Amino acid sequence: MSPRQRMINLMYIVLTAMLALNVSSDVLNGFTQVHDGLHRTNLNMAAKNEIQFQYLEDLYEKNPVKVGPWLEKGSILRQQSLNLLNTIDSLKLAIAKQADGPNGDPTNLINLDDLEAASVTMLNPATRSGRNLKQQVDQYTITVSELLTDSLKREAILNMLSTDIKPATNSDGAPLTWEEKMFDNMPAVAALTLLSKLQNDIRQAEGEALANIITNVDITDIRVNELNAFVIPVSSMVMRGGKYSAEIVLAALDTTQRPSVFVNGSRLNNGHYEFTASSVGTHTYNGYIEVPRGDGSIDRRNFSSTYTVMEPMATISPTMMNVLYMGIDNPISISVPGVPMSAIQANMTNGSLTRNGDTWIARPAQIGAEAVISVNATVDGRSQQVGSMTFRVRKLPDPTAYIALKDGHYKGAPKRISKAALMEADKLGAALDDDILNVSYSVVSFSTVFFDQMGNAIPENSDGASFSARQKEQFRRLKPGATFFISNVKAKGPDGVTREISPMQVSLN
């Protein structure tokens, strides 16, 4: 924080303490002087920030590709700053008009000691101007903090723009809010001074963020102070019978002079090295790069690289579980290291296997029988089997019944449901949702069992998923804390099997 800003903050603290003792004309005049000083400071900081943003735009004109992302961040920051500053200006004008009438001017306030103008403007429950301002400041603080990489500066800005207050209560004993602490029973000139200080903090935060953005424009540039040889293989893993391919380059290469690349004593064509892998295991090759210096001498850089040759193999894994389920699409992930997805083929016994983008969908045909997925890969124009996996086929687990609500599902006790929510519900649903499978079922029929005051059970049946008129009538008669049961629930899944699932207990609030 600059010495000037520290001085302003110290003056604000002193004047606030004096205000707590007595709102004298000297104190009010002191607030006026501080407010005028803050106004001049805000103009200076606004001009400084304008220069920084203009510099960022000049950098963009010279290098749009490099500076474009940073200019976009700076533009977003600048627009949010302008919106927040305009909001504060409108609030200052509203306070001035409340204190001095329709012609009120925040830069020339007449009724300095008006204790109602700030409260009426900022604490109005209809407009909620104070609360809305706090929310805007909090959101702006998040935006600025994300643009600051220096932890110390970020912490300082967070503290400067913080709307957190120490626990306090008003005269009624209720917790005191930020807007109440800032504007309740505050003289109009003091409220304008506080808002001007907030604008000053926003300008300072904007300036720090813009400076950091400008610094970051060049922070990712690479500075080269030495030359090194690098081997860039297409893949260091090669299947037997496949080809090894690599690019051998010199870092910080001068494009006007191509280096000479040698591997095992033989010169390569344009630095491209390729051969057919024949034996399994890890292998090493060595070489060197020669590049002419400016004085005509040759600079030689040695390099070494290794590669691994492995037997053909495939990786097959079920996305959901290690089994396949009847009646639904089972996502399967199939990959072969070093082989693109377009060169992989797969088939399945006891069902069908179809490709869906980079994944596969398996649909088994018979429960209890095993399903085998086999994978082939095309390498160098030749198709070869690279692996297989056996899966067990099972039927879908039983679902869980629930009452369909407008804002979610109610699955029964021990949770409780309000009578209003129960009356709004139209039907019963069933689904399998265990964080692995997510399958919906259709409810075919169910029964509700109510109990009268004598403890006698009153069953009501429903053909289908919807509650019957008699069941809705029973809902209407239920008293708070009542309990009833939903049983004999029959649901049909995507596999076509209708099953009776567990009952549920319904408890009202």
Side-chain angles (χ1 to χ4, degrees), residues 399 430 440-445 490-499 501:
S440 297
Y441 286 70
S442 300
V443 174
V444 177
S445 63
K490 294 183 179 181
K492 184 177 181 180
D495 54 2
V497 177
T498 299
R499 63 198 76 192
I501 61 178

Side-chain angles (χ1 to χ4, degrees), residues 32 72 100 103 198 432 452 461 506:
T32 301
E72 181 180 0
D100 296 343
N103 296 323
L198 180 57
L432 180 62
D452 59 18
N461 299 324
V506 181

Side-chain angles (χ1 to χ4, degrees), residues 172-190:
D172 297 329
L176 198 65
T177 63
W178 175 81
E179 55 269 22
E180 289 175 337
K181 183 175 181 180
M182 293 283 287
F183 303 107
D184 188 22
N185 203 34
M186 185 69 65
V189 66

Side-chain angles (χ1 to χ4, degrees), residues 352-468:
S352 63
L353 183 67
T354 56
R355 186 192 293 268
N356 183 19
D358 289 340
T359 61
W360 301 74
I361 300 298
R363 290 189 67 91
Q366 183 179 354
I367 297 176
E370 293 181 340
V372 179
I373 295 179
S374 301
V375 179
N376 284 45
T378 301
V379 180
D380 295 333
R382 180 171 57 90
S383 179
Q384 54 182 316
Q385 183 171 343
V386 291
S388 64
M389 180 174 285
T390 301
F391 294 85
R392 294 172 295 173
V393 179
R394 293 183 176 179
K395 71 174 183 178
L396 284 171
D398 290 342
T400 300
Y402 63 84
I403 296 176
L405 305 176
K406 289 184 178 180
D407 56 351
H409 295 163
Y410 173 73
K411 298 182 179 181
K415 292 185 177 181
R416 293 181 175 272
I417 184 175
S418 68
K419 185 175 180 180
L422 179 62
M423 293 301 301
E424 291 180 355
D426 294 324
K427 63 181 180 178
L428 188 70
L432 180 62
D433 184 5
D434 56 2
D435 296 330
I436 298 177
L437 295 174
N438 188 1
V439 182
S440 297
Y441 286 70
S442 300
V443 174
V444 177
S445 63
F446 65 93
S447 300
T448 55
V449 181
F450 305 88
F451 295 91
D452 59 18
Q453 296 180 353
M454 301 299 295
N456 298 318
I458 305 175
E460 297 289 349
N461 299 324
S462 177
D463 293 330
S466 300
F467 293 117
S468 67

Side-chain angles (χ1 to χ4, degrees), residues 8-187:
I8 292 173
N9 291 349
L10 183 59
M11 293 176 63
Y12 163 73
I13 293 174
V14 172
L15 290 174
T16 303
M18 296 176 63
L19 177 65
L21 297 176
N22 183 24
V23 185
S24 65
S25 60
D26 292 338
V27 172
L28 296 176
N29 291 331
F31 269 113
T32 301
Q33 295 178 19
V34 173
H35 180 259
D36 292 341
L38 287 173
H39 180 67
R40 290 191 296 269
T41 302
N42 285 336
L43 294 178
N44 294 334
M45 296 183 68
K48 176 184 175 182
N49 292 349
E50 178 65 28
I51 293 174
Q52 289 193 96
F53 187 76
Q54 183 61 51
Y55 177 69
L56 185 61
E57 289 183 323
D58 293 341
L59 293 178
Y60 174 77
E61 293 295 330
K62 298 175 182 178
N63 194 337
V65 175
K66 177 181 177 181
V67 186
W70 299 107
L71 178 61
E72 181 180 0
K73 293 181 180 181
S75 299
I76 294 175
L77 169 68
R78 189 159 180 77
Q79 187 59 49
Q80 290 189 6
S81 301
L82 183 61
N83 292 341
L84 183 52
L85 292 169
N86 288 340
T87 297
I88 297 176
D89 281 336
S90 65
L91 294 175
K92 291 166 65 175
L93 180 61
I95 292 175
K97 289 185 176 181
Q98 185 67 35
D100 296 343
N103 296 323
D105 183 0
T107 62
N108 186 24
L109 193 65
I110 299 175
N111 295 315
L112 305 178
D113 58 347
D114 190 314
L115 296 177
E116 296 183 358
S119 299
V120 171
T121 303
M122 303 302 295
L123 304 180
N124 190 329
T127 61
R128 301 194 301 179
S129 298
R131 182 181 302 179
N132 293 335
L133 176 61
K134 176 184 181 299
Q135 293 174 350
Q136 285 186 260
V137 172
D138 290 341
Q139 183 59 48
Y140 182 78
T141 303
I142 295 174
T143 300
V144 173
S145 64
E146 292 174 348
L147 296 175
L148 295 175
T149 54
D150 189 304
S151 59
L152 295 178
K153 289 185 178 180
R154 185 190 306 114
E155 185 67 23
I157 295 299
L158 289 175
N159 291 333
M160 183 174 65
L161 296 177
S162 175
T163 58
D164 295 334
I165 61 174
K166 294 182 179 180
T169 57
N170 56 25
S171 59
D172 297 329
L176 198 65
T177 63
W178 175 81
E179 55 269 22
E180 289 175 337
K181 183 175 181 180
M182 293 283 287
F183 303 107
D184 188 22
N185 203 34
M186 185 69 65

Side-chain angles (χ1 to χ4, degrees), residues 183-221:
F183 303 107
D184 188 22
N185 203 34
M186 185 69 65
V189 66
L192 294 182
T193 303
L194 290 173
L195 291 175
S196 294
K197 178 186 178 299
L198 180 57
Q199 288 180 312
N200 187 276
D201 294 340
I202 293 169
R203 289 294 190 190
Q204 183 173 346
E206 180 189 20
E208 292 289 350
L210 284 174
N212 191 72
I213 289 175
I214 294 174
T215 302
N216 283 334
V217 169
D218 295 325
I219 202 169
T220 57
D221 287 356

Side-chain angles (χ1 to χ4, degrees), residues 311-336:
E311 289 288 349
M313 61 176 293
T315 299
I316 306 174
S317 60
T319 302
M320 296 189 298
M321 297 178 67
N322 59 346
V323 297
L324 301 178
Y325 289 97
M326 278 290 296
I328 64 171
D329 292 341
N330 296 266
I332 300 292
S333 174
I334 300 177
S335 62
V336 180

